[in-house]
Amino acid sequence: MANILRLLGRRLLALPFMVLGITLLVFVILQFAPGDQATTALGEGASEEAKELYRQENGLNDPIWLQYVHFLGRLVTLDLGNTTPPAQPILGIIAKAFPLTLQLTFWGVIIAVVLSLLLGVTAALFRDRWQDQLIRVFSIAAVATPSFWLGILLIQWLALGVHAFPSGGFVPFSEDPVAYFKSMALPALALGIPVSASLIRVVRTSMVEEMDRDYVRTAIGNGVPRPEVIRKNVLRNALVTPVTVLGLRVGYLLGGAVVIEMIFSLPGMGQLILNGITNSDVNLVQGVTLTIAITFVLVNIIVDVLYLLINPRIRTV
């Protein structure tokens, strides 16, 4: 427990500096985005005098470093600004859309973990047999399949083909639990299957390496049932590397969820960033990007803690 608290303390101390770096990178990149914020806000028909007044009132004529300082000041108070007219608080819009993106990412992680454990462990237990070869073909095919293309195929096969699932849209769980899971099934599959493909190979390799260790052969030689050794020792030790890789893949899942939401017409962060790009709304794109990036950092802190919980050898160091 002391090591876990020590790790949390170090990560939390580094968190403000990581967030500061993220805000600086996002802010600088979006400064070079095409378009004029004054024109976007006031419209093409606005006079140059009105545009210039807008720039002065919103600090757009200030040096970039001063604009960044003002941006940080607003960010500390959780003020992400307003959208282009009709003006709406960006924080409130993100608060409504972000839970859906988190739900989609969560179900994508669940599918990726279940498939990778099931198929990865099976491939390790039947190494170099037909089961292992078949799973290897699946993982190679899945890792080469873009999530957006897989989503389109799932719509054609399971939505338009057999009409088992809706082709798009979202139904909240509170309104209809069955319709909720149906609306999330295809997007989660499109998101989770490509990620599971890379994790399958990691799980298989970790399992094979762990099963070849001396303590496994000794335990089995002393009469301990092989399934018990695998369940209590091999599996737990072999999960250390996959958990680390999964933490890195969460960033991919968050980014992939944004694309998948556009394909399945889900009102999440993907729809927001599409609206921001379409309307040249720098503030909205900036708010969405920062939210996703900071979430990725927080998730990796959680993964580091899980890494210590799973691997007892690290906790004793």
Side-chain angles (χ1 to χ4, degrees), residues 136-159:
R136 183 176 302 176
V137 171
F138 167 78
S139 64
I140 293 174
V143 79
T145 304
S147 59
F148 68 88
W149 186 66
L150 179 58
I152 295 173
L153 290 181
L154 291 174
I155 290 174
Q156 292 180 338
W157 294 340
L158 301 179

Side-chain angles (χ1 to χ4, degrees), residues 155-168:
I155 290 174
Q156 292 180 338
W157 294 340
L158 301 179
L160 302 180
V162 298
H163 302 287
F165 299 93
S167 60

Side-chain angles (χ1 to χ4, degrees), residues 53-68:
L53 180 61
Y54 179 88
R55 296 187 188 100
Q56 291 179 2
E57 291 177 346
N58 291 273
L60 299 179
N61 291 332
D62 295 338
I64 187 171
W65 66 267
L66 185 56
Q67 294 184 45
Y68 177 65

Side-chain angles (χ1 to χ4, degrees), residues 71 75 78-83 88-103 261 267-273 281-295:
F71 167 71
L75 191 61
L78 298 180
D79 181 10
L80 297 176
N82 297 321
T83 61
Q88 294 180 332
I90 292 175
L91 183 62
I93 297 176
I94 292 178
K96 293 179 181 178
F98 194 43
L100 175 58
T101 300
L102 288 180
Q103 291 175 57
E261 287 171 357
M269 300 290 272
Q271 190 63 45
L272 289 186
I273 201 167
D281 193 335
V282 174
N283 288 337
L284 182 57
V285 175
Q286 192 169 247
V288 172
T289 306
L290 281 176
T291 303
I292 294 175
I294 293 173
T295 302

Side-chain angles (χ1 to χ4, degrees), residues 181-202:
F181 284 110
K182 284 187 175 182
S183 66
M184 296 294 287
L186 297 187
L189 284 172
L191 193 61
I193 289 177
V195 174
S196 71
S198 58
L199 288 175
I200 288 171
R201 308 307 305 163
V202 176

Side-chain angles (χ1 to χ4, degrees), residues 119 122-123 130-140 200:
L119 298 182
T122 302
W130 68 267
Q131 295 95 332
D132 185 22
Q133 300 299 329
L134 185 62
I135 292 172
R136 183 176 302 176
V137 171
F138 167 78
S139 64
I140 293 174
I200 288 171

